[in-house]
């Protein structure tokens, strides 16, 4: 009898310890962001913050080089993106990219002995990534503002960014004998170890799907889908936002009405643009590189790595706490003529996106 009691006590203790392991250890700090009693608080864990601070420090920029003299594409061969820079600034930019992306591998990570050679896939990819960076810094300022992005924003000294995503592997139903999990109920880390749909990225950051929680009518009307499954996918994406930025719901939303834009924080509009920026970059830059990458760099279903909020933010409300690295590297914006041309081409998209996001009651999330 005594042995049974001991075993039961031990079982309860182990179970309790396992459950508590998933909770944050107090104390935590709360910052009030609205009226008292409304739950408008931002929760900060000092221990997590202390661990994060060293990882969110931007490297010191070297002085901008002399812009006089011949252009890089007049001196070097096969320079397609940064050719408008002076030779000195081009060399400085290349040195910075090496430190940002491949500090251990060095120039050989992208180049052969013939620097004009394009035989390495890394060089082809990096050229396209420079174009993507230039687009973000000129056409997605609604999201990145004056801070902008650099290669270091995502790479942080690693050839492959730490935070990327691939399309989730479909469930092996084994002739339907084990049931249909319907893309959820697996406690995935990307959705906060909940049972929510574990691939909200394909739905919202690749496909052009509206983020919805509930509808305004008893029965579905029109083409706007706002059912329970859509709500679960939305909450999955919101869990990702929370972890990626190290914030809770009230960073963007007002507890008075999560679906209302009237009292929402400015960060919600920033996130609205961020969703659309991620779709743009995944579809118009990353997807096009699928055949460029070797098989070992593709996901389990053969798709290319893609970006989400964590790719840049990596747990901070602003990447690198808002350090404005891009302003020190003029090559991360396109040549003036190219920038003007791209702005004209993107005018219809930008015109639609520049207007304040319009929300109805059905728009219960970003």
């Amino acid at each position: 009898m005594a042995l049974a009691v001991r075993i039961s006590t031990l079982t309860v203790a182990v179970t309790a310890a396992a459950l508590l392991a998933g909770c944050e250890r107090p104390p935590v700090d709360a910052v009030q962001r609205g009226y008292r009693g409304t739950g408008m608080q931002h929760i900060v864990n000092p221990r997590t913050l202390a661990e994060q601070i060293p990882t969110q420090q931007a490297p010191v920029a070297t002085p901008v080089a002399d812009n006089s003299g011949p252009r890089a594409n007049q001196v070097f061969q096969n320079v397609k993106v940064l050719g408008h820079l002076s030779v000195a600034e081009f060399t400085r930019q290349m040195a910075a990219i090496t430190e940002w992306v491949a500090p251990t591998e060095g120039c050989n990570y992208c180049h052969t002995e013939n620097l004009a050679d394009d035989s390495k896939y890394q060089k082809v990819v990096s050229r396209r990534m420079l174009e993507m960076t230039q687009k973000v810094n000129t056409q997605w300022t609604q999201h990145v503002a004056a801070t902008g992005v650099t290669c270091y924003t995502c790479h942080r000294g690693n050839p492959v960014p730490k935070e990327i995503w691939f399309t989730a592997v479909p469930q092996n139903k084994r002739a339907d004998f084990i049931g249909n999990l319907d893309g959820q109920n697996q406690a995935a880390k990307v959705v906060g170890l909940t049972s929510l749909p574990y691939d909200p990225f394909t739905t919202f950051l690749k496909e052009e799907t509206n983020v919805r929680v509930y509808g305004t009518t008893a029965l579905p009307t029109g083409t706007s889908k706002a059912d329970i499954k859509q709500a679960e996918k939305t909450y999955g994406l919101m869990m990702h936002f929370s972890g990626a930025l190290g914030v809770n719901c009230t960073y963007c939303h007002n507890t008075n009405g999560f679906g209302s834009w009237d009292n929402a924080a400015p960060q919600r509009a920033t996130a609205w643009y961020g969703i659309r920026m991620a779709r743009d970059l995944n579809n118009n830059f990353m997807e096009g590189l699928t055949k460029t990458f070797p098989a070992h760099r593709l996901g389990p279903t053969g798709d290319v790595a893609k970006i989400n909020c964590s790719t840049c933010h990596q747990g901070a409300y602003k990447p690198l706490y808002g350090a404005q690295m891009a302003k020190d590297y003029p090559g991360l914006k396109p040549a003036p003529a190219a920038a003007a041309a791209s702005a004209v081409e993107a005018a219809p998209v930008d015109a639609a996106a520049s207007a304040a996001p319009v929300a109805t009651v059905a728009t219960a999330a970003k």
Side-chain angles (χ1 to χ4, degrees):
M1 182 68 178
L3 179 61
V5 172
R6 290 178 181 177
I7 293 175
S8 299
T9 303
L10 180 61
T11 302
V12 171
V14 171
T15 303
L19 291 173
L20 290 174
C23 302
E24 283 192 294
R25 178 169 58 87
V28 295
D29 295 334
V31 180
Q32 189 171 317
R33 296 174 55 85
Y35 292 112
R36 287 182 297 176
T38 61
M40 290 292 292
Q41 293 177 319
H42 177 54
I43 308 301
V44 179
N45 187 322
R47 290 176 300 281
T48 303
L49 190 61
E51 295 173 357
Q52 182 190 90
I53 289 174
T55 69
Q56 294 289 340
Q57 302 303 308
V60 178
T62 57
V64 177
D66 184 6
N67 193 43
S68 62
R71 302 296 94 185
N73 58 9
Q74 296 173 331
V75 175
F76 302 112
Q77 297 178 350
N78 200 20
V79 179
K80 299 181 179 180
V81 179
L82 301 178
H84 62 290
L85 301 177
S86 68
V87 171
E89 181 57 31
F90 175 78
T91 304
R92 170 181 174 265
Q93 180 72 78
M94 288 291 99
I97 292 175
T98 302
E99 289 301 311
W100 294 341
V101 177
T104 302
E105 297 82 357
C107 303
N108 291 336
Y109 182 68
C110 290
H111 295 280
T112 64
E113 291 183 0
N114 176 9
L115 297 181
D117 181 25
D118 284 350
S119 61
K120 283 195 170 184
Y121 78 89
Q122 293 94 328
K123 183 182 178 183
V124 178
V125 171
S126 64
R127 181 182 285 143
R128 190 63 176 145
M129 293 300 94
L130 282 170
E131 293 174 330
M132 183 178 75
T133 301
Q134 291 177 341
K135 180 172 185 178
V136 171
N137 288 334
T138 53
Q139 296 186 40
W140 283 107
T141 53
Q142 304 102 324
H143 186 70
V144 302
T147 303
V149 297
T150 68
C151 311
Y152 189 80
T153 307
C154 299
H155 284 266
R156 312 285 176 101
N158 301 300
V160 180
K162 179 182 177 182
E163 301 291 343
I164 54 178
W165 67 275
F166 299 99
T167 301
V169 179
Q171 177 193 357
N172 182 359
K173 300 179 184 178
R174 301 178 185 178
D176 283 336
F177 289 143
I178 61 174
N180 181 9
L181 295 176
D182 203 19
Q184 57 188 95
N185 302 315
Q186 290 193 0
K189 184 179 179 180
V190 295
V191 290
L193 299 179
T194 66
S195 61
L196 292 167
Y198 50 76
D199 184 13
F201 308 130
T202 298
T203 302
F204 296 117
L205 302 186
K206 183 176 181 293
E207 300 170 358
E208 193 170 347
T209 307
N210 290 324
V211 182
R212 295 289 185 267
V213 171
Y214 55 83
T216 58
T217 59
L219 298 175
T221 57
T223 59
S224 179
K225 184 178 180 182
D227 55 19
I228 293 177
K229 185 65 176 180
Q230 187 77 346
E232 290 178 325
K233 289 183 178 180
T234 293
Y235 285 129
L237 182 67
M238 296 298 110
M239 292 296 289
H240 164 68
F241 283 171
S242 181
L245 276 67
V247 298
N248 46 286
C249 307
T250 55
Y251 185 71
C252 292
H253 296 279
N254 192 306
T255 56
N256 182 53
F258 273 57
S260 172
W261 284 91
D262 294 337
N263 299 314
Q267 291 88 338
R268 186 179 176 191
T270 303
W272 188 89
Y273 289 114
I275 293 171
R276 284 145 184 82
M277 182 187 76
R279 288 177 190 160
D280 177 22
L281 304 186
N282 285 331
N283 287 303
N284 296 320
F285 289 89
M286 300 311 302
E287 285 290 331
L289 291 169
T290 302
K291 294 183 179 179
T292 303
F293 281 103
H296 72 273
R297 287 290 307 275
L298 300 177
T301 63
D303 63 317
V304 71
K306 293 171 282 295
I307 69 169
N308 56 24
C309 306
S310 291
T311 309
C312 292
H313 285 266
Q314 300 190 27
Y317 71 105
K318 287 185 178 181
L320 303 170
Y321 294 145
Q324 296 187 6
M325 289 181 63
K327 64 180 177 57
D328 297 320
Y329 296 93
L332 299 183
K333 288 188 176 181
S342 63
V344 172
E345 293 172 0
V349 176
D350 287 351
S354 62
V358 178
T360 65
V361 178
T363 311
K366 301 176 185 67

